[in-house]
Amino acid sequence: MTTRTFNRIALIGIALLVFSVVDSCTAAFSTPYVFRMTPGDTVLVSGDLLDTPAIPNRWLEEPSLETIRSHVDYTRETPGLHIDFIELRGRLWRGYLQLDSATPGEYTFQVFNTASKEPEVETRFTVRVFANQEALRADMPSISERYLDIKPVLIFFMAMPLTMILLYLSFRQSGKDEARLTRQGIGSVYKLAKSKIGWDVMVGLGSAHGVNSGDTLRILDRKMHEVGELKVETVSPEASGGLLPLDANIKSGYYVALPGAVIPRQN
């Protein structure tokens, strides 16, 4: 494959990376404190209390499950809702949420410190219950989860190595293409510096390729069409340079060719 083909495929990989990051951010910053379930599901949930439970020796040892469940509770207005607490670190709690045979709809609950005098001010969580997985996915804020049933982070980790490999192959192929053109007497314009008197141009052909001071090189655009001339003023073994007027047709990515070089045509 050509360098252009590798670059085009790599751009697709980069687009997938950008999409996965944007999609992840969309999901992360969507409506907070919402859990999506189908009847009978069990999901891991977590949150922060406003008041830190006063657990003895909590800095010295992990509290037991019995201790955790005696210091943290949840509102029970929703029939069939159960939370099995498994961890409590300062104000952070974690547990398994289960809704047994709940009718599809939207439910709420709050987790609170059992010693709190104002449990009603704690964060209110929302549970959206759907009849099936298809209905649940249709409500997901992430596009990839909604339509592909794939988390965006998986797309990121799949696209990342592919993109890196393609960029490496593109770089390697670009080096091969440049070496081939150099053997044909064609070099790249790799430096353009604009000044008041004109364009200071450096190109990848030098005395090692048969260039001498005072020679005239043909300027080629990206499609290898001849668009001007460059008179060589300075020469080193691998490069040469010259000055062009400000209105010259010269851009980064253009080429120069020796007078007798055969120019390959590009589409």
Side-chain angles (χ1 to χ4, degrees):
M1 287 193 292
T2 65
T3 301
R4 183 176 298 179
T5 302
F6 282 123
N7 287 341
R8 287 174 176 173
I9 300 175
L11 284 175
I12 296 174
I14 293 172
L16 285 173
L17 290 175
V18 173
F19 166 77
S20 65
V21 172
V22 173
D23 202 27
S24 295
C25 292
T26 299
F29 294 103
S30 62
T31 306
Y33 313 122
V34 174
F35 302 106
R36 296 170 176 83
M37 306 175 65
T38 56
D41 283 352
T42 298
V43 298
L44 183 65
V45 296
S46 63
D48 288 309
L49 299 169
L50 296 180
D51 295 326
T52 303
I55 300 177
N57 301 321
R58 66 187 180 92
W59 299 112
L60 301 178
E61 58 186 22
E62 291 287 336
S64 65
L65 295 180
E66 182 180 356
T67 300
I68 293 173
R69 292 162 187 170
S70 66
H71 284 78
V72 184
D73 203 356
Y74 58 93
T75 54
R76 301 173 187 272
E77 288 84 359
T78 303
L81 184 147
H82 306 283
I83 301 179
D84 187 15
F85 295 104
I86 60 172
E87 185 177 8
L88 180 62
R89 294 178 180 273
R91 296 188 298 112
L92 174 66
W93 59 266
R94 289 200 310 152
Y96 290 105
L97 169 67
Q98 184 173 4
L99 270 174
D100 298 326
S101 62
T103 302
E106 192 165 281
Y107 304 89
T108 62
F109 69 90
Q110 291 171 284
V111 175
F112 56 88
N113 178 355
T114 55
S116 174
K117 296 180 180 180
E118 296 180 309
E120 66 279 358
V121 301
E122 292 286 353
T123 300
R124 186 175 296 274
F125 296 90
T126 299
V127 181
R128 292 179 183 171
V129 181
F130 301 89
N132 49 53
Q133 286 295 325
E134 289 74 18
L136 186 152
R137 287 201 302 270
D139 188 63
M140 296 295 286
S142 164
I143 295 175
S144 57
E145 288 185 275
R146 190 186 314 157
Y147 295 106
L148 304 175
D149 196 20
I150 300 175
K151 291 186 178 297
V153 67
L154 293 180
I155 295 178
F156 179 87
F157 284 116
M158 287 188 295
M160 175 62 80
L162 175 63
T163 303
M164 297 302 293
I165 290 172
L166 288 169
L167 288 175
Y168 166 73
L169 292 175
S170 175
F171 175 78
R172 190 175 69 172
Q173 185 63 40
S174 177
K176 291 181 179 179
D177 291 345
E178 187 170 351
R180 174 177 53 80
L181 288 174
T182 300
R183 289 193 298 270
Q184 296 175 351
I186 301 172
S188 299
V189 174
Y190 65 83
K191 177 186 174 183
L192 282 175
K194 188 176 183 180
S195 66
K196 294 181 179 180
I197 60 174
W199 290 101
D200 184 16
V201 184
M202 294 295 294
V203 301
L205 292 177
S207 59
H209 311 105
V211 178
N212 298 298
S213 180
D215 286 353
T216 299
L217 302 176
R218 293 179 286 167
I219 300 174
L220 311 174
D221 64 13
R222 294 184 180 91
K223 294 185 177 181
M224 295 293 178
H225 297 141
E226 189 169 343
V227 294
E229 294 182 339
L230 172 69
K231 186 173 182 179
V232 177
E233 297 178 2
T234 60
V235 181
S236 68
E238 299 295 332
S240 57
L243 190 66
L244 289 174
L246 291 174
D247 60 353
N249 186 358
I250 187 71
K251 295 180 182 178
S252 177
Y254 275 22
Y255 303 90
V256 293
L258 296 174
V262 178
I263 310 302
R265 295 303 177 189
Q266 297 186 5
N267 296 326

